[in-house]
Amino acid sequence: MTSLLQSGTKQDVEPYAPPARDVVAEEDALMAVLIIASQLRQTADVIGPSMVEHLTELLVLVRDYIRPLPPAPGGPDGEDLVTPDLESLVTELRSQTAQVGLYVGEPGPRPEGV
């Protein structure tokens, strides 16, 4: 499982994108994210609340990629409050992965040195 999850990371010589298998539907992926998030909350006493929060934040990124989260207007001028949170999470994720040398593909701007 670990080798499958790491497939396409910086350590690979060439990124490989296999053809779609047409097995997993968007709804399946969304349900999997929700189930994992639910199970994480139930393990807070074992892995600690800060780890649950961190892993849940990562799941939010996955969830938004699968199907963008709805806007949450509420800023002073009615601006969406979700986008700045997602930007912050992505910046933190990219910084953390750069520190350990992980990098998957070319999705967008990367921090310096990555």
Side-chain angles (χ1 to χ4, degrees):
M1 183 59 73
T2 301
S3 64
L4 283 174
L5 292 173
Q6 290 176 344
S7 175
T9 61
K10 189 176 187 178
Q11 290 85 4
D12 289 343
V13 175
E14 260 184 64
Y16 170 67
R21 291 183 177 90
D22 295 323
V23 174
V24 180
E26 180 180 298
E27 293 299 323
D28 300 321
L30 290 172
M31 188 54 64
V33 167
L34 293 174
I35 290 169
I36 293 168
S38 172
Q39 294 297 311
L40 279 174
R41 284 194 297 272
Q42 294 178 24
T43 64
D45 58 330
V46 177
I47 65 174
S50 63
M51 180 58 75
V52 170
E53 181 180 349
H54 175 67
L55 295 173
T56 301
E57 289 171 345
L58 294 175
L59 285 173
V60 167
L61 295 178
V62 174
R63 166 38 173 108
D64 187 69
Y65 183 80
I66 295 168
R67 182 184 299 158
L69 295 161
D77 296 322
E79 67 264 7
D80 174 37
L81 298 176
V82 174
T83 301
D85 286 347
L86 289 172
E87 289 171 344
S88 175
L89 290 173
V90 167
T91 298
E92 183 179 336
L93 174 67
R94 290 177 181 175
S95 174
Q96 290 171 352
T97 57
Q99 289 174 14
V100 295
L102 290 176
Y103 176 50
V104 181
E106 296 285 340
R110 301 293 298 174
E112 292 230 359
V114 178

